Amino acid sequence: MLSKRLDKISPSCTIGISSKVKEMKKSGVDVINLSIGEPDFNVPREAIECGIKSLNENCTKYDLVPGITILREEICKKLLLENNCKYSIDEIVLASGAKDAITNTLLAVTDPGDEILIPKPYWVSYWEMTKLVNATPVAIETNKNNDFKLTADLLRKYITDKTKLLILNNPSNPTGSVYTKEELSEIVNVCLEKNIYILADEIYERICYNNEFVSVASLGNNVKDITITVNGFAKSAAMTGLRLGYTASNKKIAQGMSSIQGHLVSHPSLTAQYIGYGALKYCKEDIDNMVKTYKKRRDLITSRLNKMKYVDYIYPNGAFYVFIDLSQVAKKYKYNKSFSIEFCDEFLSKYKVAIVPGQAFGIDEYVRISYACSENEFIEGLNRLEEFILKIMDNCN
């Protein structure tokens, strides 16, 4: 009697692992959690004060569907100053998290049967979200030698007359790869030529270590017109549980998303919106300090990986993940269906460390580690990973 839609989708792997870790900790098991993409910082104090002030002033009634005016104005300022993208407030739609913003986008621009191009490795929910709106996900096989980044030539090979939209995640989850302006320009030129929308998921854009982040929509007014930029507050301002994201797009798409959201959600929590406003207006220094910490951790975790045998990795220039190549280990490890899932399950069970199997991102011989946690935790986690790998390889020699 349930919807056939449920037969098409799989539960979120990362949320599943997180739930399992919480259950283990509740049972008294000491677990190192390197799986979740959640900052270990708190929401900046000045941002919280804006939320408290809104509650004290009884800002708790229904408001505008696309979001409160002062927050959309602040987002427009941020996009202009930081991303060189000029938007008006009627082109901004606030959503209950970046996930909700992506879903609104897919509902607004796709029809059943449309093909959505998703470069591998991809964030776990893109694939399932596409199926939920009855569109067809098409995986693009990218190359490790290019840090798994999409190229214009590769993109052309996957375009058909059913292609409607390309999802481009920059910086990437899970690889941490960051596109250059030249790389993006070549990709968007193909999309312009073929009349394909671009969903530019830029949720990690503030966490970029080479100071070269380029927003897709900044590459020209014609590019901006076909681009739906998705961003939010979870990663940059540690507002994961407050569920606040947004889109920037042309007015027609924004109106469509607002209409959809008006029926499904109305608008995101007002308290979250006022906190987000405070984060943008008053907390740039707090955000910059978080990024400095992530960069320090990136340097520490990669230096440790460089000393480990049988592993390789994609050097992350953004976000707070390392995508680790365990293909040498996979050749020796005895598994039934999925190397990465069974490897991660055994690692969690025997070594009490949670990491994410690469299968969740479409590539089975990899695992993802998050360093949005204390240095002691991820270094101890890597020590245990090395011990597990050496045991596997020694048993095979």
Side-chain angles (χ1 to χ4, degrees):
M1 296 295 290
L2 295 177
S3 169
K4 292 181 180 179
R5 183 180 291 107
L6 295 175
D7 296 333
K8 297 180 181 180
I9 63 169
S10 303
S12 169
C13 180
T14 50
I15 291 177
I17 293 170
S18 180
S19 298
K20 188 173 182 179
V21 169
K22 288 177 181 178
E23 289 175 7
M24 292 174 71
K25 287 185 175 181
K26 192 175 181 180
S27 300
V29 180
D30 186 15
V31 182
I32 295 175
N33 189 4
L34 305 182
S35 69
I36 195 72
E38 181 171 56
D40 59 326
F41 297 95
N42 292 320
V43 178
R45 189 67 216 172
E46 285 189 89
I48 292 175
E49 292 295 339
C50 288
I52 293 172
K53 182 174 182 288
S54 74
L55 290 172
N56 287 336
E57 295 177 355
N58 295 312
C59 299
T60 57
K61 307 299 183 184
Y62 290 133
D63 209 298
L64 299 173
V65 169
I68 58 175
T69 300
I70 59 170
L71 177 53
R72 286 184 290 149
E73 288 174 342
E74 207 61 37
I75 289 170
C76 289
K77 292 176 186 176
K78 178 258 186 247
L79 290 170
L80 182 60
L81 293 174
E82 295 184 9
N83 304 95
N84 195 30
C85 299
K86 187 176 181 180
Y87 286 95
S88 57
I89 65 167
D90 55 356
E91 295 174 312
I92 307 298
V93 179
L94 274 297
S96 298
K99 284 184 176 180
D100 189 33
I102 293 169
T103 306
N104 285 344
T105 300
L106 298 181
L107 287 170
V109 304
T110 69
D111 291 308
D114 283 346
E115 291 180 351
I116 297 178
L117 301 182
I118 309 174
K120 290 171 59 177
Y122 44 73
W123 175 58
V124 295
S125 292
Y126 293 147
W127 199 263
E128 307 304 326
M129 288 173 166
T130 299
K131 292 188 291 184
L132 276 172
V133 301
N134 293 319
T136 303
V138 177
I140 298 180
E141 298 286 346
T142 56
N143 194 314
K144 178 190 174 184
N145 294 331
N146 191 41
D147 293 338
F148 289 119
K149 289 192 283 187
L150 179 66
T151 65
D153 289 340
L154 190 56
L155 174 60
R156 287 183 182 278
K157 295 178 181 179
Y158 286 84
I159 294 173
T160 71
D161 56 4
K162 294 183 179 180
T163 303
K164 189 66 172 288
L165 178 142
L166 166 69
I167 296 181
L168 197 62
N169 184 201
N170 181 39
S172 165
N173 173 10
T175 66
S177 297
V178 178
Y179 287 84
T180 66
K181 183 176 181 179
E182 291 72 24
E183 290 168 336
L184 289 174
S185 296
E186 292 177 0
I187 291 168
V188 300
N189 285 338
V190 174
C191 293
L192 286 168
E193 176 191 335
K194 299 295 184 178
N195 197 29
I196 298 169
Y197 284 118
I198 302 169
L199 190 162
D201 183 351
E202 299 179 356
I203 190 70
Y204 292 98
E205 53 102 8
R206 288 291 280 110
I207 309 172
C208 187
Y209 309 125
N210 56 15
N211 297 317
E212 294 178 358
F213 178 79
V214 177
S215 189
V216 171
S218 70
L219 297 176
N221 288 332
N222 54 349
V223 179
K224 177 186 164 188
D225 194 53
I226 63 167
T227 299
I228 304 95
T229 300
V230 173
N231 209 325
F233 299 82
K235 311 304 180 179
S236 61
M239 289 173 54
T240 51
L242 293 174
R243 312 309 305 134
L244 187 64
Y246 63 86
T247 55
S249 64
N250 69 45
K251 291 181 183 179
K252 187 174 182 180
I253 295 174
Q255 288 170 357
M257 287 190 285
S258 187
S259 295
I260 290 167
Q261 182 162 281
H263 290 292
L264 295 181
V265 178
S266 285
H267 56 71
S269 159
L270 286 186
T271 308
Q273 290 191 60
Y274 281 104
I275 295 172
Y277 166 77
L280 281 183
K281 191 169 184 66
Y282 304 115
C283 302
K284 185 178 185 302
E285 185 177 347
D286 297 89
I287 294 170
D288 289 343
N289 287 335
M290 291 183 204
V291 175
K292 289 177 183 177
T293 300
Y294 292 138
K295 185 175 182 179
K296 179 183 175 184
R297 291 174 180 174
R298 187 276 309 266
D299 294 344
L300 186 60
I301 200 170
T302 53
S303 66
R304 179 66 183 88
L305 284 167
N306 289 339
K307 298 174 183 177
M308 291 173 60
K309 294 175 64 176
Y310 309 118
V311 305
D312 195 8
Y313 63 92
I314 305 302
Y315 188 79
N317 283 308
F320 39 61
Y321 309 106
V322 182
F323 202 46
I324 301 174
D325 182 353
L326 295 180
S327 54
Q328 292 184 66
V329 182
K331 293 175 183 177
K332 304 291 184 180
Y333 187 76
K334 294 180 181 179
Y335 61 95
N336 295 315
K337 294 182 179 180
S338 166
F339 160 72
S340 62
I341 291 176
E342 293 170 43
F343 177 93
C344 290
D345 282 345
E346 185 176 357
F347 188 42
L348 177 57
S349 175
K350 293 183 177 179
Y351 290 83
K352 305 300 183 287
V353 181
I355 59 179
V356 184
Q359 184 65 41
F361 309 102
I363 301 182
D364 194 34
E365 294 183 339
Y366 284 70
V367 296
R368 191 197 74 178
I369 284 181
S370 168
Y371 50 92
C373 57
S374 74
E375 295 175 6
N376 290 337
E377 279 190 300
F378 66 70
I379 290 300
E380 176 58 25
L382 285 179
N383 290 341
R384 296 183 193 182
L385 178 62
E386 181 178 46
E387 182 182 343
F388 185 35
I389 289 171
L390 291 175
K391 184 176 181 181
I392 292 169
M393 302 307 283
D394 288 345
N395 287 342
C396 295
N397 291 334

